[in-house]
PDB file of all heavy atoms in Angstrom:
ATOM      1  N   HIS N   1     308.645 -69.996  -3.274  1.00  0.00           N
ATOM      2  CA  HIS N   1     307.429 -70.771  -3.884  1.00  0.00           C
ATOM      3  C   HIS N   1     306.846 -70.023  -5.048  1.00  0.00           C
ATOM      4  O   HIS N   1     306.157 -69.104  -4.985  1.00  0.00           O
ATOM      5  CB  HIS N   1     306.427 -70.943  -2.785  1.00  0.00           C
ATOM      6  CG  HIS N   1     305.390 -71.955  -3.079  1.00  0.00           C
ATOM      7  ND1 HIS N   1     305.484 -73.236  -2.427  1.00  0.00           N
ATOM      8  CD2 HIS N   1     304.391 -72.066  -3.908  1.00  0.00           C
ATOM      9  CE1 HIS N   1     304.427 -73.987  -2.891  1.00  0.00           C
ATOM     10  NE2 HIS N   1     303.773 -73.242  -3.792  1.00  0.00           N
ATOM     11  N   HIS N   2     307.053 -70.540  -6.172  1.00  0.00           N
ATOM     12  CA  HIS N   2     306.383 -70.099  -7.413  1.00  0.00           C
ATOM     13  C   HIS N   2     306.283 -71.261  -8.340  1.00  0.00           C
ATOM     14  O   HIS N   2     306.838 -72.268  -8.207  1.00  0.00           O
ATOM     15  CB  HIS N   2     307.042 -68.897  -8.054  1.00  0.00           C
ATOM     16  CG  HIS N   2     308.305 -69.269  -8.835  1.00  0.00           C
ATOM     17  ND1 HIS N   2     308.308 -69.554 -10.136  1.00  0.00           N
ATOM     18  CD2 HIS N   2     309.525 -69.272  -8.498  1.00  0.00           C
ATOM     19  CE1 HIS N   2     309.516 -69.935 -10.610  1.00  0.00           C
ATOM     20  NE2 HIS N   2     310.298 -69.545  -9.446  1.00  0.00           N
ATOM     21  N   HIS N   3     305.544 -71.068  -9.383  1.00  0.00           N
ATOM     22  CA  HIS N   3     305.198 -72.054 -10.472  1.00  0.00           C
ATOM     23  C   HIS N   3     305.436 -71.477 -11.768  1.00  0.00           C
ATOM     24  O   HIS N   3     305.458 -70.251 -12.017  1.00  0.00           O
ATOM     25  CB  HIS N   3     303.769 -72.522 -10.254  1.00  0.00           C
ATOM     26  CG  HIS N   3     303.310 -73.038  -8.966  1.00  0.00           C
ATOM     27  ND1 HIS N   3     303.721 -74.172  -8.399  1.00  0.00           N
ATOM     28  CD2 HIS N   3     302.545 -72.358  -8.063  1.00  0.00           C
ATOM     29  CE1 HIS N   3     303.237 -74.251  -7.178  1.00  0.00           C
ATOM     30  NE2 HIS N   3     302.479 -73.070  -6.840  1.00  0.00           N
ATOM     31  N   VAL N   4     305.513 -72.387 -12.787  1.00  0.00           N
ATOM     32  CA  VAL N   4     305.444 -72.067 -14.174  1.00  0.00           C
ATOM     33  C   VAL N   4     304.717 -73.190 -14.834  1.00  0.00           C
ATOM     34  O   VAL N   4     304.752 -74.346 -14.355  1.00  0.00           O
ATOM     35  CB  VAL N   4     306.751 -71.754 -14.869  1.00  0.00           C
ATOM     36  CG1 VAL N   4     307.442 -70.507 -14.295  1.00  0.00           C
ATOM     37  CG2 VAL N   4     307.666 -73.025 -14.819  1.00  0.00           C
ATOM     38  N   TRP N   5     304.006 -72.936 -15.935  1.00  0.00           N
ATOM     39  CA  TRP N   5     303.452 -74.088 -16.713  1.00  0.00           C
ATOM     40  C   TRP N   5     303.199 -73.641 -18.162  1.00  0.00           C
ATOM     41  O   TRP N   5     303.154 -72.457 -18.423  1.00  0.00           O
ATOM     42  CB  TRP N   5     302.148 -74.564 -16.122  1.00  0.00           C
ATOM     43  CG  TRP N   5     301.073 -73.612 -15.989  1.00  0.00           C
ATOM     44  CD1 TRP N   5     300.238 -73.021 -16.854  1.00  0.00           C
ATOM     45  CD2 TRP N   5     300.672 -72.981 -14.592  1.00  0.00           C
ATOM     46  NE1 TRP N   5     299.435 -72.151 -16.185  1.00  0.00           N
ATOM     47  CE2 TRP N   5     299.539 -72.088 -14.909  1.00  0.00           C
ATOM     48  CE3 TRP N   5     301.202 -73.064 -13.356  1.00  0.00           C
ATOM     49  CZ2 TRP N   5     299.038 -71.340 -13.857  1.00  0.00           C
ATOM     50  CZ3 TRP N   5     300.683 -72.271 -12.380  1.00  0.00           C
ATOM     51  CH2 TRP N   5     299.495 -71.455 -12.597  1.00  0.00           C
ATOM     52  N   ASP N   6     303.296 -74.542 -19.011  1.00  0.00           N
ATOM     53  CA  ASP N   6     303.143 -74.354 -20.490  1.00  0.00           C
ATOM     54  C   ASP N   6     301.895 -75.257 -21.010  1.00  0.00           C
ATOM     55  O   ASP N   6     302.078 -76.481 -21.037  1.00  0.00           O
ATOM     56  CB  ASP N   6     304.371 -74.644 -21.203  1.00  0.00           C
ATOM     57  CG  ASP N   6     304.176 -74.365 -22.720  1.00  0.00           C
ATOM     58  OD1 ASP N   6     303.173 -74.093 -23.198  1.00  0.00           O
ATOM     59  OD2 ASP N   6     305.342 -74.162 -23.313  1.00  0.00           O
ATOM     60  N   LEU N   7     300.756 -74.586 -21.247  1.00  0.00           N
ATOM     61  CA  LEU N   7     299.637 -75.386 -21.660  1.00  0.00           C
ATOM     62  C   LEU N   7     299.790 -76.160 -23.026  1.00  0.00           C
ATOM     63  O   LEU N   7     299.023 -76.969 -23.359  1.00  0.00           O
ATOM     64  CB  LEU N   7     298.380 -74.421 -21.724  1.00  0.00           C
ATOM     65  CG  LEU N   7     297.979 -74.019 -20.236  1.00  0.00           C
ATOM     66  CD1 LEU N   7     296.668 -73.205 -20.445  1.00  0.00           C
ATOM     67  CD2 LEU N   7     297.803 -75.085 -19.268  1.00  0.00           C
ATOM     68  N   SER N   8     300.848 -75.720 -23.831  1.00  0.00           N
ATOM     69  CA  SER N   8     301.176 -76.335 -25.020  1.00  0.00           C
ATOM     70  C   SER N   8     301.863 -77.677 -24.788  1.00  0.00           C
ATOM     71  O   SER N   8     301.920 -78.567 -25.652  1.00  0.00           O
ATOM     72  CB  SER N   8     301.841 -75.498 -25.990  1.00  0.00           C
ATOM     73  OG  SER N   8     303.245 -75.276 -25.533  1.00  0.00           O
ATOM     74  N   VAL N   9     302.431 -77.854 -23.541  1.00  0.00           N
ATOM     75  CA  VAL N   9     303.177 -79.053 -23.214  1.00  0.00           C
ATOM     76  C   VAL N   9     302.137 -80.045 -22.566  1.00  0.00           C
ATOM     77  O   VAL N   9     302.113 -81.253 -22.900  1.00  0.00           O
ATOM     78  CB  VAL N   9     304.302 -78.708 -22.344  1.00  0.00           C
ATOM     79  CG1 VAL N   9     304.894 -80.016 -21.808  1.00  0.00           C
ATOM     80  CG2 VAL N   9     305.339 -77.893 -23.070  1.00  0.00           C
ATOM     81  N   ARG N  10     301.398 -79.511 -21.591  1.00  0.00           N
ATOM     82  CA  ARG N  10     300.416 -80.401 -20.973  1.00  0.00           C
ATOM     83  C   ARG N  10     299.375 -79.463 -20.280  1.00  0.00           C
ATOM     84  O   ARG N  10     299.589 -78.343 -19.853  1.00  0.00           O
ATOM     85  CB  ARG N  10     301.131 -81.376 -19.890  1.00  0.00           C
ATOM     86  CG  ARG N  10     301.538 -80.658 -18.635  1.00  0.00           C
ATOM     87  CD  ARG N  10     302.242 -81.700 -17.706  1.00  0.00           C
ATOM     88  NE  ARG N  10     303.190 -82.514 -18.419  1.00  0.00           N
ATOM     89  CZ  ARG N  10     304.448 -82.064 -18.443  1.00  0.00           C
ATOM     90  NH1 ARG N  10     304.802 -80.910 -17.919  1.00  0.00           N
ATOM     91  NH2 ARG N  10     305.356 -82.839 -19.123  1.00  0.00           N
ATOM     92  N   ASP N  11     298.197 -80.136 -20.072  1.00  0.00           N
ATOM     93  CA  ASP N  11     297.151 -79.347 -19.417  1.00  0.00           C
ATOM     94  C   ASP N  11     297.430 -79.289 -17.850  1.00  0.00           C
ATOM     95  O   ASP N  11     298.154 -80.171 -17.303  1.00  0.00           O
ATOM     96  CB  ASP N  11     295.853 -80.098 -19.645  1.00  0.00           C
ATOM     97  CG  ASP N  11     294.636 -79.277 -19.120  1.00  0.00           C
ATOM     98  OD1 ASP N  11     294.648 -78.038 -19.059  1.00  0.00           O
ATOM     99  OD2 ASP N  11     293.650 -79.951 -18.614  1.00  0.00           O
ATOM    100  N   GLN N  12     296.892 -78.229 -17.232  1.00  0.00           N
ATOM    101  CA  GLN N  12     296.919 -78.153 -15.819  1.00  0.00           C
ATOM    102  C   GLN N  12     295.414 -78.304 -15.405  1.00  0.00           C
ATOM    103  O   GLN N  12     294.652 -77.424 -15.266  1.00  0.00           O
ATOM    104  CB  GLN N  12     297.364 -76.738 -15.359  1.00  0.00           C
ATOM    105  CG  GLN N  12     298.877 -76.547 -15.847  1.00  0.00           C
ATOM    106  CD  GLN N  12     299.777 -77.285 -15.044  1.00  0.00           C
ATOM    107  OE1 GLN N  12     299.829 -77.420 -13.927  1.00  0.00           O
ATOM    108  NE2 GLN N  12     300.918 -77.730 -15.779  1.00  0.00           N
ATOM    109  N   ASP N  13     295.064 -79.565 -15.119  1.00  0.00           N
ATOM    110  CA  ASP N  13     293.621 -79.934 -14.968  1.00  0.00           C
ATOM    111  C   ASP N  13     293.042 -79.359 -13.704  1.00  0.00           C
ATOM    112  O   ASP N  13     291.778 -79.479 -13.515  1.00  0.00           O
ATOM    113  CB  ASP N  13     293.372 -81.424 -15.021  1.00  0.00           C
ATOM    114  CG  ASP N  13     294.245 -82.284 -14.013  1.00  0.00           C
ATOM    115  OD1 ASP N  13     294.822 -81.609 -13.121  1.00  0.00           O
ATOM    116  OD2 ASP N  13     294.159 -83.452 -14.155  1.00  0.00           O
ATOM    117  N   TRP N  14     293.887 -78.751 -12.746  1.00  0.00           N
ATOM    118  CA  TRP N  14     293.410 -78.196 -11.495  1.00  0.00           C
ATOM    119  C   TRP N  14     292.832 -76.887 -11.739  1.00  0.00           C
ATOM    120  O   TRP N  14     292.305 -76.175 -10.896  1.00  0.00           O
ATOM    121  CB  TRP N  14     294.385 -78.113 -10.528  1.00  0.00           C
ATOM    122  CG  TRP N  14     295.738 -77.467 -10.913  1.00  0.00           C
ATOM    123  CD1 TRP N  14     296.768 -77.943 -11.629  1.00  0.00           C
ATOM    124  CD2 TRP N  14     296.108 -76.194 -10.739  1.00  0.00           C
ATOM    125  NE1 TRP N  14     297.768 -77.117 -11.862  1.00  0.00           N
ATOM    126  CE2 TRP N  14     297.452 -75.878 -11.259  1.00  0.00           C
ATOM    127  CE3 TRP N  14     295.411 -75.004 -10.109  1.00  0.00           C
ATOM    128  CZ2 TRP N  14     297.903 -74.745 -11.258  1.00  0.00           C
ATOM    129  CZ3 TRP N  14     296.098 -73.811 -10.010  1.00  0.00           C
ATOM    130  CH2 TRP N  14     297.344 -73.616 -10.635  1.00  0.00           C
ATOM    131  N   ILE N  15     293.138 -76.237 -12.947  1.00  0.00           N
ATOM    132  CA  ILE N  15     292.651 -74.851 -13.269  1.00  0.00           C
ATOM    133  C   ILE N  15     291.330 -74.850 -13.832  1.00  0.00           C
ATOM    134  O   ILE N  15     291.069 -75.580 -14.837  1.00  0.00           O
ATOM    135  CB  ILE N  15     293.673 -74.198 -14.233  1.00  0.00           C
ATOM    136  CG1 ILE N  15     295.053 -74.155 -13.619  1.00  0.00           C
ATOM    137  CG2 ILE N  15     293.232 -72.700 -14.545  1.00  0.00           C
ATOM    138  CD1 ILE N  15     296.165 -73.534 -14.643  1.00  0.00           C
ATOM    139  N   ALA N  16     290.348 -74.155 -13.286  1.00  0.00           N
ATOM    140  CA  ALA N  16     289.000 -74.176 -13.678  1.00  0.00           C
ATOM    141  C   ALA N  16     288.843 -73.595 -15.086  1.00  0.00           C
ATOM    142  O   ALA N  16     289.588 -72.600 -15.467  1.00  0.00           O
ATOM    143  CB  ALA N  16     288.140 -73.320 -12.775  1.00  0.00           C
ATOM    144  N   PRO N  17     287.987 -74.022 -15.897  1.00  0.00           N
ATOM    145  CA  PRO N  17     287.728 -73.408 -17.252  1.00  0.00           C
ATOM    146  C   PRO N  17     287.337 -71.952 -17.068  1.00  0.00           C
ATOM    147  O   PRO N  17     286.586 -71.552 -16.134  1.00  0.00           O
ATOM    148  CB  PRO N  17     286.531 -74.215 -17.681  1.00  0.00           C
ATOM    149  CG  PRO N  17     286.641 -75.511 -17.005  1.00  0.00           C
ATOM    150  CD  PRO N  17     287.075 -75.184 -15.620  1.00  0.00           C
ATOM    151  N   GLY N  18     287.993 -71.166 -17.888  1.00  0.00           N
ATOM    152  CA  GLY N  18     287.621 -69.701 -17.855  1.00  0.00           C
ATOM    153  C   GLY N  18     288.388 -68.840 -16.893  1.00  0.00           C
ATOM    154  O   GLY N  18     288.289 -67.713 -16.704  1.00  0.00           O
ATOM    155  N   SER N  19     289.301 -69.551 -16.052  1.00  0.00           N
ATOM    156  CA  SER N  19     290.065 -68.967 -15.033  1.00  0.00           C
ATOM    157  C   SER N  19     291.215 -68.120 -15.781  1.00  0.00           C
ATOM    158  O   SER N  19     291.780 -68.452 -16.849  1.00  0.00           O
ATOM    159  CB  SER N  19     290.756 -69.891 -14.094  1.00  0.00           C
ATOM    160  OG  SER N  19     291.711 -69.355 -13.303  1.00  0.00           O
ATOM    161  N   PRO N  20     291.597 -66.931 -15.224  1.00  0.00           N
ATOM    162  CA  PRO N  20     292.719 -66.143 -15.736  1.00  0.00           C
ATOM    163  C   PRO N  20     293.969 -66.887 -15.731  1.00  0.00           C
ATOM    164  O   PRO N  20     294.975 -66.597 -16.367  1.00  0.00           O
ATOM    165  CB  PRO N  20     292.791 -65.020 -14.745  1.00  0.00           C
ATOM    166  CG  PRO N  20     291.447 -64.771 -14.236  1.00  0.00           C
ATOM    167  CD  PRO N  20     290.943 -66.152 -14.063  1.00  0.00           C
ATOM    168  N   LEU N  21     294.081 -68.017 -14.911  1.00  0.00           N
ATOM    169  CA  LEU N  21     295.212 -68.862 -14.777  1.00  0.00           C
ATOM    170  C   LEU N  21     295.306 -69.755 -16.057  1.00  0.00           C
ATOM    171  O   LEU N  21     296.359 -70.422 -16.239  1.00  0.00           O
ATOM    172  CB  LEU N  21     295.253 -69.616 -13.526  1.00  0.00           C
ATOM    173  CG  LEU N  21     295.268 -68.799 -12.240  1.00  0.00           C
ATOM    174  CD1 LEU N  21     295.322 -69.770 -11.026  1.00  0.00           C
ATOM    175  CD2 LEU N  21     296.534 -67.838 -12.228  1.00  0.00           C
ATOM    176  N   ARG N  22     294.269 -69.897 -16.820  1.00  0.00           N
ATOM    177  CA  ARG N  22     294.277 -70.925 -17.951  1.00  0.00           C
ATOM    178  C   ARG N  22     295.058 -70.360 -19.158  1.00  0.00           C
ATOM    179  O   ARG N  22     294.451 -70.056 -20.139  1.00  0.00           O
ATOM    180  CB  ARG N  22     292.874 -71.367 -18.270  1.00  0.00           C
ATOM    181  CG  ARG N  22     292.863 -72.496 -19.292  1.00  0.00           C
ATOM    182  CD  ARG N  22     291.577 -73.359 -19.204  1.00  0.00           C
ATOM    183  NE  ARG N  22     291.707 -74.204 -18.144  1.00  0.00           N
ATOM    184  CZ  ARG N  22     292.442 -75.331 -18.150  1.00  0.00           C
ATOM    185  NH1 ARG N  22     293.169 -75.578 -19.292  1.00  0.00           N
ATOM    186  NH2 ARG N  22     292.495 -76.267 -17.066  1.00  0.00           N
ATOM    187  N   ARG N  23     296.262 -70.077 -18.904  1.00  0.00           N
ATOM    188  CA  ARG N  23     297.206 -69.677 -19.970  1.00  0.00           C
ATOM    189  C   ARG N  23     298.635 -70.149 -19.539  1.00  0.00           C
ATOM    190  O   ARG N  23     298.864 -70.556 -18.521  1.00  0.00           O
ATOM    191  CB  ARG N  23     297.108 -68.207 -20.300  1.00  0.00           C
ATOM    192  CG  ARG N  23     297.696 -67.240 -19.228  1.00  0.00           C
ATOM    193  CD  ARG N  23     297.621 -65.821 -19.563  1.00  0.00           C
ATOM    194  NE  ARG N  23     298.197 -64.977 -18.594  1.00  0.00           N
ATOM    195  CZ  ARG N  23     299.540 -64.609 -18.469  1.00  0.00           C
ATOM    196  NH1 ARG N  23     300.445 -65.265 -19.195  1.00  0.00           N
ATOM    197  NH2 ARG N  23     299.969 -63.749 -17.603  1.00  0.00           N
ATOM    198  N   THR N  24     299.505 -69.951 -20.531  1.00  0.00           N
ATOM    199  CA  THR N  24     300.907 -70.342 -20.108  1.00  0.00           C
ATOM    200  C   THR N  24     301.590 -69.234 -19.358  1.00  0.00           C
ATOM    201  O   THR N  24     301.518 -68.052 -19.682  1.00  0.00           O
ATOM    202  CB  THR N  24     301.657 -70.572 -21.488  1.00  0.00           C
ATOM    203  OG1 THR N  24     301.133 -71.689 -22.144  1.00  0.00           O
ATOM    204  CG2 THR N  24     303.176 -70.739 -21.249  1.00  0.00           C
ATOM    205  N   PHE N  25     302.313 -69.627 -18.297  1.00  0.00           N
ATOM    206  CA  PHE N  25     303.162 -68.757 -17.570  1.00  0.00           C
ATOM    207  C   PHE N  25     304.472 -69.250 -17.586  1.00  0.00           C
ATOM    208  O   PHE N  25     304.801 -70.389 -17.177  1.00  0.00           O
ATOM    209  CB  PHE N  25     302.572 -68.656 -16.060  1.00  0.00           C
ATOM    210  CG  PHE N  25     301.328 -67.995 -15.962  1.00  0.00           C
ATOM    211  CD1 PHE N  25     300.123 -68.714 -15.980  1.00  0.00           C
ATOM    212  CD2 PHE N  25     301.270 -66.645 -15.646  1.00  0.00           C
ATOM    213  CE1 PHE N  25     298.902 -68.014 -15.857  1.00  0.00           C
ATOM    214  CE2 PHE N  25     300.049 -65.965 -15.417  1.00  0.00           C
ATOM    215  CZ  PHE N  25     298.844 -66.638 -15.547  1.00  0.00           C
ATOM    216  N   THR N  26     305.539 -68.387 -17.913  1.00  0.00           N
ATOM    217  CA  THR N  26     306.994 -68.821 -17.953  1.00  0.00           C
ATOM    218  C   THR N  26     307.774 -67.940 -17.112  1.00  0.00           C
ATOM    219  O   THR N  26     307.429 -66.964 -16.492  1.00  0.00           O
ATOM    220  CB  THR N  26     307.386 -68.610 -19.540  1.00  0.00           C
ATOM    221  OG1 THR N  26     307.387 -67.225 -19.740  1.00  0.00           O
ATOM    222  CG2 THR N  26     306.399 -69.377 -20.446  1.00  0.00           C
ATOM    223  N   THR N  27     309.037 -68.356 -17.089  1.00  0.00           N
ATOM    224  CA  THR N  27     310.088 -67.608 -16.242  1.00  0.00           C
ATOM    225  C   THR N  27     310.264 -66.242 -16.975  1.00  0.00           C
ATOM    226  O   THR N  27     310.710 -65.262 -16.245  1.00  0.00           O
ATOM    227  CB  THR N  27     311.285 -68.406 -16.182  1.00  0.00           C
ATOM    228  OG1 THR N  27     311.832 -68.765 -17.468  1.00  0.00           O
ATOM    229  CG2 THR N  27     311.182 -69.519 -15.323  1.00  0.00           C
ATOM    230  N   ALA N  28     310.055 -66.144 -18.296  1.00  0.00           N
ATOM    231  CA  ALA N  28     310.177 -64.819 -18.872  1.00  0.00           C
ATOM    232  C   ALA N  28     309.142 -63.864 -18.388  1.00  0.00           C
ATOM    233  O   ALA N  28     309.263 -62.636 -18.401  1.00  0.00           O
ATOM    234  CB  ALA N  28     310.137 -64.983 -20.382  1.00  0.00           C
ATOM    235  N   ASP N  29     307.997 -64.441 -18.080  1.00  0.00           N
ATOM    236  CA  ASP N  29     306.927 -63.619 -17.452  1.00  0.00           C
ATOM    237  C   ASP N  29     307.289 -63.087 -16.065  1.00  0.00           C
ATOM    238  O   ASP N  29     306.924 -62.105 -15.497  1.00  0.00           O
ATOM    239  CB  ASP N  29     305.515 -64.355 -17.459  1.00  0.00           C
ATOM    240  CG  ASP N  29     305.032 -64.737 -18.759  1.00  0.00           C
ATOM    241  OD1 ASP N  29     305.121 -63.860 -19.712  1.00  0.00           O
ATOM    242  OD2 ASP N  29     304.697 -65.859 -18.947  1.00  0.00           O
ATOM    243  N   LEU N  30     307.875 -64.182 -15.337  1.00  0.00           N
ATOM    244  CA  LEU N  30     308.164 -63.886 -13.891  1.00  0.00           C
ATOM    245  C   LEU N  30     309.440 -62.973 -13.599  1.00  0.00           C
ATOM    246  O   LEU N  30     309.285 -62.123 -12.777  1.00  0.00           O
ATOM    247  CB  LEU N  30     308.443 -65.287 -13.240  1.00  0.00           C
ATOM    248  CG  LEU N  30     308.913 -65.250 -11.815  1.00  0.00           C
ATOM    249  CD1 LEU N  30     307.995 -64.705 -10.828  1.00  0.00           C
ATOM    250  CD2 LEU N  30     309.453 -66.582 -11.343  1.00  0.00           C
ATOM    251  N   ALA N  31     310.391 -63.188 -14.455  1.00  0.00           N
ATOM    252  CA  ALA N  31     311.764 -62.599 -14.079  1.00  0.00           C
ATOM    253  C   ALA N  31     311.637 -61.173 -13.894  1.00  0.00           C
ATOM    254  O   ALA N  31     312.195 -60.484 -12.926  1.00  0.00           O
ATOM    255  CB  ALA N  31     312.708 -62.926 -15.150  1.00  0.00           C
ATOM    256  N   PRO N  32     311.043 -60.320 -14.756  1.00  0.00           N
ATOM    257  CA  PRO N  32     311.079 -58.842 -14.632  1.00  0.00           C
ATOM    258  C   PRO N  32     310.300 -58.420 -13.397  1.00  0.00           C
ATOM    259  O   PRO N  32     310.664 -57.460 -12.758  1.00  0.00           O
ATOM    260  CB  PRO N  32     310.472 -58.334 -15.852  1.00  0.00           C
ATOM    261  CG  PRO N  32     309.732 -59.509 -16.538  1.00  0.00           C
ATOM    262  CD  PRO N  32     310.399 -60.592 -16.063  1.00  0.00           C
ATOM    263  N   GLN N  33     309.270 -59.145 -13.076  1.00  0.00           N
ATOM    264  CA  GLN N  33     308.518 -58.786 -11.825  1.00  0.00           C
ATOM    265  C   GLN N  33     309.357 -59.075 -10.614  1.00  0.00           C
ATOM    266  O   GLN N  33     309.340 -58.303  -9.601  1.00  0.00           O
ATOM    267  CB  GLN N  33     307.205 -59.559 -11.910  1.00  0.00           C
ATOM    268  CG  GLN N  33     306.260 -59.315 -12.950  1.00  0.00           C
ATOM    269  CD  GLN N  33     305.029 -60.158 -12.863  1.00  0.00           C
ATOM    270  OE1 GLN N  33     304.156 -59.941 -12.011  1.00  0.00           O
ATOM    271  NE2 GLN N  33     304.953 -61.029 -13.825  1.00  0.00           N
ATOM    272  N   ALA N  34     310.010 -60.308 -10.564  1.00  0.00           N
ATOM    273  CA  ALA N  34     310.828 -60.667  -9.420  1.00  0.00           C
ATOM    274  C   ALA N  34     312.006 -59.660  -9.314  1.00  0.00           C
ATOM    275  O   ALA N  34     312.310 -59.179  -8.137  1.00  0.00           O
ATOM    276  CB  ALA N  34     311.249 -62.132  -9.667  1.00  0.00           C
ATOM    277  N   ARG N  35     312.650 -59.406 -10.394  1.00  0.00           N
ATOM    278  CA  ARG N  35     313.878 -58.406 -10.315  1.00  0.00           C
ATOM    279  C   ARG N  35     313.306 -57.110  -9.733  1.00  0.00           C
ATOM    280  O   ARG N  35     314.015 -56.427  -9.002  1.00  0.00           O
ATOM    281  CB  ARG N  35     314.508 -58.363 -11.623  1.00  0.00           C
ATOM    282  CG  ARG N  35     315.066 -59.594 -12.138  1.00  0.00           C
ATOM    283  CD  ARG N  35     316.265 -59.974 -11.215  1.00  0.00           C
ATOM    284  NE  ARG N  35     316.952 -61.145 -12.055  1.00  0.00           N
ATOM    285  CZ  ARG N  35     317.720 -61.988 -11.378  1.00  0.00           C
ATOM    286  NH1 ARG N  35     317.854 -61.859 -10.007  1.00  0.00           N
ATOM    287  NH2 ARG N  35     318.350 -62.929 -12.006  1.00  0.00           N
ATOM    288  N   ALA N  36     312.275 -56.563 -10.295  1.00  0.00           N
ATOM    289  CA  ALA N  36     311.687 -55.306  -9.869  1.00  0.00           C
ATOM    290  C   ALA N  36     311.393 -55.280  -8.299  1.00  0.00           C
ATOM    291  O   ALA N  36     311.456 -54.180  -7.728  1.00  0.00           O
ATOM    292  CB  ALA N  36     310.534 -54.914 -10.634  1.00  0.00           C
ATOM    293  N   ALA N  37     311.031 -56.482  -7.802  1.00  0.00           N
ATOM    294  CA  ALA N  37     310.747 -56.545  -6.413  1.00  0.00           C
ATOM    295  C   ALA N  37     311.936 -56.803  -5.544  1.00  0.00           C
ATOM    296  O   ALA N  37     311.810 -56.951  -4.251  1.00  0.00           O
ATOM    297  CB  ALA N  37     309.676 -57.620  -6.182  1.00  0.00           C
ATOM    298  N   GLY N  38     313.153 -56.960  -6.049  1.00  0.00           N
ATOM    299  CA  GLY N  38     314.309 -57.135  -5.418  1.00  0.00           C
ATOM    300  C   GLY N  38     314.585 -58.632  -5.069  1.00  0.00           C
ATOM    301  O   GLY N  38     315.450 -59.003  -4.244  1.00  0.00           O
TER     302      GLY N  38
END
């Protein structure tokens, strides 16, 4: 269970204004963390 989103493609209106989540998260961000964790 994980997600990705690109705010340049569409808004994620469930994310509160000012939240640290209000930015784009991609698989390029995820992959090194996932690999490092096995």
Side-chain angles (χ1 to χ4, degrees):
H1 195 107
H2 75 87
H3 309 284
V4 296
W5 56 78
D6 186 341
L7 294 185
S8 71
V9 174
R10 72 179 55 85
D11 187 31
Q12 301 285 322
D13 58 8
W14 56 275
I15 302 176
S19 168
L21 297 178
R22 184 155 283 286
R23 68 173 183 86
T24 294
F25 290 87
T26 70
T27 53
D29 300 314
L30 169 67
Q33 300 178 68
R35 295 296 190 201

